[in-house]
Each structure stands twice: as structure tokens, then as C-alpha cells.
Coordinates of all heavy atoms in Angstrom, one line a residue:
M1 N 25.9 -68.8 -19.6 CA 24.8 -67.9 -19.2 C 23.5 -68.2 -19.9 O 22.4 -68.3 -19.3 CB 25.2 -66.4 -19.5 CG 24.1 -65.4 -19.2 SD 23.7 -65.4 -17.4 CE 22.2 -64.5 -17.4
K2 N 23.6 -68.5 -21.2 CA 22.4 -68.8 -22.0 C 21.8 -70.2 -21.6 O 20.6 -70.3 -21.6 CB 22.8 -68.9 -23.5 CG 22.9 -67.5 -24.1 CD 23.1 -67.6 -25.6 CE 23.2 -66.3 -26.3 NZ 23.5 -66.4 -27.7
A3 N 22.6 -71.1 -21.3 CA 22.1 -72.4 -20.8 C 21.3 -72.3 -19.6 O 20.2 -72.9 -19.5 CB 23.3 -73.4 -20.6
T4 N 21.8 -71.6 -18.6 CA 21.0 -71.4 -17.3 C 19.8 -70.6 -17.6 O 18.7 -70.9 -17.0 CB 21.9 -70.7 -16.3 OG1 22.4 -69.5 -16.7 CG2 23.1 -71.6 -15.8
L5 N 19.8 -69.6 -18.4 CA 18.7 -68.8 -18.7 C 17.6 -69.7 -19.4 O 16.4 -69.7 -19.0 CB 19.0 -67.7 -19.6 CG 17.9 -66.8 -20.0 CD1 17.3 -66.0 -18.8 CD2 18.3 -65.8 -21.1
F6 N 18.1 -70.5 -20.3 CA 17.1 -71.5 -21.0 C 16.5 -72.5 -20.0 O 15.3 -72.7 -20.1 CB 17.9 -72.2 -22.1 CG 16.9 -73.1 -22.9 CD1 16.0 -72.5 -23.8 CD2 17.0 -74.5 -22.7 CE1 15.2 -73.3 -24.6 CE2 16.1 -75.3 -23.5 CZ 15.2 -74.7 -24.4
K7 N 17.3 -73.0 -19.1 CA 16.8 -73.9 -18.1 C 15.8 -73.2 -17.2 O 14.7 -73.8 -16.9 CB 18.0 -74.4 -17.2 CG 18.8 -75.5 -17.8 CD 19.8 -76.0 -16.8 CE 20.7 -77.1 -17.4 NZ 21.8 -77.5 -16.5
E8 N 16.1 -72.1 -16.8 CA 15.1 -71.2 -16.0 C 13.8 -71.0 -16.7 O 12.7 -71.2 -16.2 CB 15.8 -69.9 -15.5 CG 14.9 -69.1 -14.6 CD 14.6 -69.7 -13.3 OE1 15.4 -70.6 -12.8 OE2 13.5 -69.5 -12.7
L9 N 13.9 -70.6 -18.0 CA 12.7 -70.4 -18.8 C 11.9 -71.7 -18.9 O 10.7 -71.6 -18.8 CB 13.1 -69.8 -20.2 CG 13.4 -68.3 -20.2 CD1 13.9 -67.9 -21.6 CD2 12.3 -67.5 -19.8
S10 N 12.6 -72.8 -19.3 CA 11.9 -74.1 -19.5 C 11.2 -74.5 -18.1 O 10.1 -75.0 -18.2 CB 12.8 -75.1 -20.0 OG 13.7 -75.6 -19.0
K11 N 11.9 -74.3 -17.0 CA 11.3 -74.6 -15.7 C 10.1 -73.8 -15.4 O 9.0 -74.2 -15.0 CB 12.3 -74.4 -14.6 CG 11.9 -74.8 -13.2 CD 13.0 -74.6 -12.2 CE 12.4 -74.4 -10.8 NZ 12.6 -73.0 -10.3
R12 N 10.2 -72.4 -15.7 CA 9.0 -71.6 -15.5 C 7.9 -71.9 -16.5 O 6.7 -71.9 -16.2 CB 9.4 -70.1 -15.7 CG 10.2 -69.6 -14.6 CD 10.4 -68.1 -14.7 NE 11.3 -67.6 -13.7 CZ 11.6 -66.3 -13.5 NH1 11.1 -65.4 -14.3 NH2 12.4 -66.0 -12.5
G13 N 8.2 -72.3 -17.7 CA 7.2 -72.8 -18.7 C 6.5 -74.0 -18.1 O 5.3 -74.1 -18.3
K14 N 7.2 -75.0 -17.6 CA 6.6 -76.1 -17.0 C 5.7 -75.8 -15.9 O 4.6 -76.3 -15.7 CB 7.6 -77.1 -16.6 CG 8.2 -77.9 -17.7 CD 9.3 -78.8 -17.3 CE 10.1 -79.4 -18.5 NZ 11.3 -80.0 -18.1
D15 N 6.1 -74.9 -15.0 CA 5.3 -74.4 -13.9 C 4.0 -73.8 -14.4 O 2.9 -74.1 -13.9 CB 6.1 -73.4 -13.0 CG 7.1 -74.0 -12.2 OD1 7.2 -75.3 -12.2 OD2 8.0 -73.3 -11.6
F16 N 4.2 -72.9 -15.4 CA 3.0 -72.2 -16.0 C 2.1 -73.3 -16.6 O 0.9 -73.2 -16.4 CB 3.5 -71.2 -17.0 CG 2.4 -70.3 -17.5 CD1 1.8 -69.4 -16.6 CD2 2.1 -70.3 -18.8 CE1 0.8 -68.6 -17.1 CE2 1.1 -69.5 -19.3 CZ 0.5 -68.6 -18.4
Q17 N 2.6 -74.2 -17.3 CA 1.8 -75.3 -17.9 C 1.0 -76.0 -16.9 O -0.1 -76.3 -17.0 CB 2.7 -76.2 -18.8 CG 1.9 -77.3 -19.6 CD 0.9 -76.7 -20.5 OE1 1.3 -75.8 -21.3 NE2 -0.3 -77.1 -20.6
G18 N 1.7 -76.3 -15.8 CA 1.0 -77.0 -14.6 C -0.1 -76.2 -14.1 O -1.2 -76.7 -13.8
R19 N 0.1 -74.9 -14.0 CA -1.0 -74.0 -13.5 C -2.2 -74.0 -14.5 O -3.3 -74.0 -14.1 CB -0.5 -72.5 -13.4 CG 0.3 -72.4 -12.2 CD 0.6 -70.9 -11.9 NE 1.8 -70.9 -11.0 CZ 2.7 -69.9 -11.1 NH1 2.7 -69.0 -12.0 NH2 3.7 -69.9 -10.2
I20 N -1.8 -74.0 -15.8 CA -2.9 -74.0 -16.8 C -3.7 -75.3 -16.7 O -4.9 -75.3 -16.8 CB -2.3 -73.8 -18.2 CG1 -1.8 -72.4 -18.4 CG2 -3.3 -74.1 -19.3 CD1 -1.0 -72.2 -19.7
D21 N -2.9 -76.4 -16.5 CA -3.6 -77.7 -16.4 C -4.6 -77.7 -15.2 O -5.7 -78.2 -15.3 CB -2.6 -78.9 -16.2 CG -1.8 -79.1 -17.5 OD1 -2.3 -78.6 -18.5 OD2 -0.8 -79.7 -17.5
V22 N -4.1 -77.2 -14.1 CA -4.9 -77.1 -12.9 C -6.2 -76.3 -13.1 O -7.2 -76.6 -12.8 CB -4.1 -76.5 -11.7 CG1 -5.1 -76.2 -10.5 CG2 -3.1 -77.5 -11.2
Y23 N -6.0 -75.1 -13.8 CA -7.1 -74.2 -14.1 C -8.1 -74.9 -15.0 O -9.3 -74.8 -14.8 CB -6.6 -73.0 -14.8 CG -7.6 -72.0 -15.2 CD1 -8.4 -71.3 -14.3 CD2 -7.9 -71.9 -16.6 CE1 -9.3 -70.4 -14.7 CE2 -8.9 -71.0 -17.0 CZ -9.6 -70.3 -16.0 OH -10.6 -69.4 -16.5
N24 N -7.6 -75.6 -16.0 CA -8.5 -76.3 -17.0 C -9.3 -77.4 -16.2 O -10.5 -77.6 -16.5 CB -7.7 -76.9 -18.1 CG -7.3 -75.9 -19.1 OD1 -7.9 -74.8 -19.2 ND2 -6.3 -76.2 -19.9
T25 N -8.6 -78.1 -15.3 CA -9.3 -79.2 -14.5 C -10.4 -78.6 -13.7 O -11.5 -79.1 -13.7 CB -8.2 -79.9 -13.6 OG1 -7.2 -80.4 -14.5 CG2 -8.9 -81.1 -12.9
I26 N -10.0 -77.5 -13.0 CA -11.0 -76.8 -12.2 C -12.2 -76.4 -13.0 O -13.4 -76.5 -12.6 CB -10.4 -75.6 -11.4 CG1 -9.4 -76.2 -10.3 CG2 -11.5 -74.7 -10.8 CD1 -8.6 -75.1 -9.7
R27 N -11.9 -75.8 -14.2 CA -13.0 -75.4 -15.0 C -13.9 -76.5 -15.5 O -15.1 -76.4 -15.5 CB -12.4 -74.6 -16.2 CG -13.3 -73.6 -16.9 CD -12.6 -72.8 -18.0 NE -12.2 -73.8 -19.0 CZ -11.4 -73.4 -20.0 NH1 -11.0 -72.2 -20.1 NH2 -11.1 -74.3 -20.9
E28 N -13.2 -77.6 -15.9 CA -14.1 -78.8 -16.2 C -14.9 -79.3 -15.1 O -16.1 -79.6 -15.3 CB -13.1 -79.9 -16.7 CG -12.6 -79.8 -18.1 CD -11.5 -80.8 -18.4 OE1 -11.6 -81.9 -17.8 OE2 -10.7 -80.6 -19.3
V29 N -14.4 -79.3 -13.9 CA -15.1 -79.7 -12.7 C -16.3 -78.8 -12.5 O -17.4 -79.2 -12.3 CB -14.2 -79.8 -11.5 CG1 -15.1 -80.0 -10.2 CG2 -13.3 -80.9 -11.6
M30 N -16.1 -77.5 -12.6 CA -17.2 -76.5 -12.4 C -18.2 -76.7 -13.5 O -19.4 -76.6 -13.2 CB -16.6 -75.1 -12.5 CG -15.7 -74.8 -11.3 SD -16.4 -75.0 -9.7 CE -17.3 -73.5 -9.5
N31 N -17.8 -76.9 -14.7 CA -18.8 -77.1 -15.7 C -19.6 -78.4 -15.5 O -20.9 -78.4 -15.7 CB -18.1 -77.3 -17.2 CG -17.6 -75.9 -17.6 OD1 -18.0 -74.9 -17.2 ND2 -16.7 -76.0 -18.6
T32 N -19.0 -79.4 -15.1 CA -19.7 -80.7 -14.8 C -20.6 -80.5 -13.6 O -21.8 -80.9 -13.7 CB -18.7 -81.8 -14.4 OG1 -17.7 -81.9 -15.4 CG2 -19.3 -83.1 -14.2
L33 N -20.2 -79.7 -12.6 CA -21.0 -79.5 -11.5 C -22.2 -78.6 -11.9 O -23.4 -78.8 -11.4 CB -20.3 -78.8 -10.3 CG -19.4 -79.6 -9.5 CD1 -18.6 -78.7 -8.5 CD2 -20.2 -80.6 -8.7
S34 N -22.1 -77.6 -12.7 CA -23.2 -76.8 -13.1 C -24.1 -77.6 -14.0 O -25.3 -77.4 -13.9 CB -22.7 -75.5 -13.9 OG -22.0 -75.9 -15.1
E35 N -23.6 -78.5 -14.8 CA -24.5 -79.3 -15.6 C -25.3 -80.3 -14.7 O -26.5 -80.4 -14.8 CB -23.7 -80.2 -16.6 CG -23.2 -79.5 -17.8 CD -22.4 -80.4 -18.7 OE1 -22.6 -81.6 -18.7 OE2 -21.6 -79.9 -19.4
Y36 N -24.6 -80.8 -13.7 CA -25.3 -81.7 -12.7 C -26.4 -81.0 -11.9 O -27.4 -81.5 -11.8 CB -24.2 -82.2 -11.8 CG -24.7 -83.1 -10.7 CD1 -25.2 -84.4 -11.0 CD2 -24.8 -82.7 -9.4 CE1 -25.7 -85.2 -10.0 CE2 -25.3 -83.5 -8.4 CZ -25.8 -84.8 -8.7 OH -26.2 -85.6 -7.8
S37 N -26.0 -79.7 -11.5 CA -27.0 -79.0 -10.7 C -28.2 -78.6 -11.6 O -29.3 -78.5 -11.1 CB -26.4 -77.8 -10.0 OG -25.9 -76.8 -11.0
A38 N -27.9 -78.3 -12.9 CA -29.0 -78.0 -13.8 C -29.9 -79.3 -13.9 O -31.2 -79.1 -13.9 CB -28.5 -77.7 -15.2
Y39 N -29.3 -80.4 -14.1 CA -30.2 -81.7 -14.1 C -30.9 -81.8 -12.8 O -32.1 -82.2 -12.9 CB -29.3 -82.9 -14.3 CG -28.8 -83.1 -15.8 CD1 -27.5 -83.2 -16.0 CD2 -29.7 -83.1 -16.8 CE1 -27.0 -83.3 -17.4 CE2 -29.3 -83.3 -18.1 CZ -28.0 -83.3 -18.4 OH -27.5 -83.5 -19.7
V40 N -30.3 -81.7 -11.7 CA -31.0 -81.8 -10.4 C -32.1 -80.8 -10.3 O -33.2 -81.1 -9.9 CB -30.0 -81.6 -9.2 CG1 -30.7 -81.5 -7.9 CG2 -29.0 -82.8 -9.2
G41 N -31.9 -79.5 -10.7 CA -32.9 -78.5 -10.7 C -34.1 -78.9 -11.6 O -35.2 -78.8 -11.2
M42 N -33.8 -79.4 -12.8 CA -34.9 -79.8 -13.7 C -35.6 -81.0 -13.1 O -36.9 -81.0 -13.1 CB -34.3 -80.3 -15.0 CG -34.0 -79.2 -15.9 SD -33.1 -79.7 -17.5 CE -33.7 -81.2 -17.9
F43 N -35.0 -81.9 -12.5 CA -35.6 -83.1 -11.9 C -36.5 -82.7 -10.7 O -37.6 -83.1 -10.6 CB -34.6 -84.1 -11.4 CG -35.1 -85.4 -10.8 CD1 -35.7 -86.3 -11.7 CD2 -35.1 -85.6 -9.5 CE1 -36.3 -87.4 -11.1 CE2 -35.7 -86.7 -8.9 CZ -36.2 -87.6 -9.8
T44 N -36.0 -81.7 -9.9 CA -36.8 -81.2 -8.8 C -38.0 -80.5 -9.3 O -39.1 -80.8 -8.7 CB -35.9 -80.3 -7.9 OG1 -34.7 -80.9 -7.6 CG2 -36.6 -79.9 -6.7
L45 N -37.9 -79.7 -10.3 CA -39.1 -79.0 -10.8 C -40.1 -80.0 -11.3 O -41.2 -79.9 -11.1 CB -38.6 -78.1 -11.9 CG -38.0 -76.7 -11.5 CD1 -37.5 -76.0 -12.7 CD2 -39.0 -75.9 -10.7
L46 N -39.6 -81.0 -12.1 CA -40.5 -82.1 -12.6 C -41.2 -82.8 -11.4 O -42.4 -83.0 -11.5 CB -39.7 -83.0 -13.5 CG -39.3 -82.5 -14.9 CD1 -38.4 -83.5 -15.5 CD2 -40.6 -82.2 -15.7
S47 N -40.5 -83.1 -10.4 CA -41.1 -83.8 -9.3 C -42.1 -83.0 -8.6 O -43.2 -83.4 -8.3 CB -40.0 -84.2 -8.2 OG -38.9 -84.9 -8.9
V48 N -41.8 -81.7 -8.4 CA -42.7 -80.8 -7.7 C -44.0 -80.7 -8.6 O -45.1 -80.7 -8.1 CB -42.1 -79.5 -7.4 CG1 -43.1 -78.4 -7.0 CG2 -41.0 -79.7 -6.3
D49 N -43.7 -80.5 -9.9 CA -44.8 -80.3 -10.8 C -45.7 -81.5 -10.9 O -47.0 -81.4 -10.8 CB -44.2 -80.1 -12.3 CG -45.2 -79.5 -13.2 OD1 -46.0 -78.6 -12.7 OD2 -45.2 -79.8 -14.4
Q50 N -45.2 -82.7 -10.8 CA -45.9 -84.0 -10.8 C -46.8 -84.1 -9.5 O -47.9 -84.4 -9.5 CB -45.1 -85.2 -10.9 CG -44.6 -85.4 -12.4 CD -43.7 -86.6 -12.5 OE1 -43.3 -87.1 -11.5 NE2 -43.4 -87.0 -13.7
E51 N -46.2 -83.7 -8.4 CA -46.9 -83.7 -7.1 C -48.1 -82.8 -7.1 O -49.1 -83.0 -6.6 CB -45.9 -83.4 -5.9 CG -45.0 -84.5 -5.6 CD -44.0 -84.1 -4.5 OE1 -44.2 -83.1 -3.8 OE2 -42.9 -84.8 -4.4
Q52 N -47.9 -81.6 -7.7 CA -49.0 -80.6 -7.7 C -50.1 -81.1 -8.6 O -51.3 -80.8 -8.3 CB -48.4 -79.3 -8.2 CG -47.6 -78.6 -7.1 CD -47.0 -77.3 -7.6 OE1 -47.0 -77.0 -8.8 NE2 -46.4 -76.5 -6.7
T53 N -49.7 -81.7 -9.7 CA -50.8 -82.2 -10.6 C -51.6 -83.3 -10.0 O -52.7 -83.5 -10.2 CB -50.2 -82.6 -12.0 OG1 -49.1 -83.5 -11.7 CG2 -49.7 -81.5 -12.8
K54 N -50.9 -84.1 -9.1 CA -51.6 -85.2 -8.4 C -52.7 -84.6 -7.4 O -53.8 -85.2 -7.3 CB -50.6 -86.1 -7.5 CG -49.9 -87.0 -8.4 CD -48.9 -87.8 -7.5 CE -47.9 -88.6 -8.3 NZ -46.9 -89.2 -7.4
E55 N -52.4 -83.5 -6.8 CA -53.3 -82.9 -5.8 C -54.6 -82.4 -6.5 O -55.6 -82.5 -5.9 CB -52.6 -81.8 -5.1 CG -51.5 -82.2 -4.2 CD -50.7 -81.0 -3.6 OE1 -51.1 -79.9 -3.7 OE2 -49.7 -81.3 -2.9
V56 N -54.5 -82.0 -7.7 CA -55.6 -81.4 -8.4 C -56.7 -82.4 -8.7 O -56.5 -83.5 -8.9 CB -55.2 -80.7 -9.7 CG1 -56.4 -80.2 -10.5 CG2 -54.3 -79.5 -9.3

């Protein structure tokens, strides 16, 4: 009984660890995307700013 219980627990532990890994990966991707979009936003603002200063 104890052996099967332990096997079941270790299996569930591995499943849970897999979910944590997936969650961490998704979180890393989201962080990278938000950093990227921040850079794009800054670049866009700078470009627009430069175009406006050229017009003056």
C-alpha cells in the first residue's frame, strides 16, 4: 500500500513540477514581451518626437 501511495505522490509531484515549469516559462515569455513592447514604445515615441522637431 505504501509503495503505491508513494508512486502516486511522486507522479503527482512530477505533474505539478511540470505545471510550475510551464507557468515559469509563460511568465518569462510575458516578461520578455513586455520589455520588448516597452522598447518598441520608447522607440516609437522617439521617432515621433524627432519627426515633430524636424517640422518646426
Side-chain angles (χ1 to χ4, degrees):
M1 178 61 195
K2 281 187 178 175
T4 54
L5 180 67
F6 184 74
K7 278 184 185 174
E8 183 61 30
L9 281 176
S10 70
K11 185 178 152 247
R12 286 189 185 184
K14 283 177 189 165
D15 289 348
F16 189 64
Q17 185 61 47
R19 286 190 198 141
I20 291 173
D21 289 345
V22 167
Y23 175 73
N24 284 340
T25 305
I26 290 172
R27 205 174 61 188
E28 282 174 24
V29 168
M30 294 303 280
N31 285 344
T32 306
L33 281 175
S34 64
E35 281 177 27
Y36 178 73
S37 65
Y39 282 124
V40 170
M42 279 170 38
F43 182 73
T44 308
L45 282 174
L46 286 172
S47 307
V48 168
D49 199 34
Q50 284 178 347
E51 284 174 18
Q52 286 176 350
T53 51
K54 280 180 194 170
E55 289 173 10
V56 171

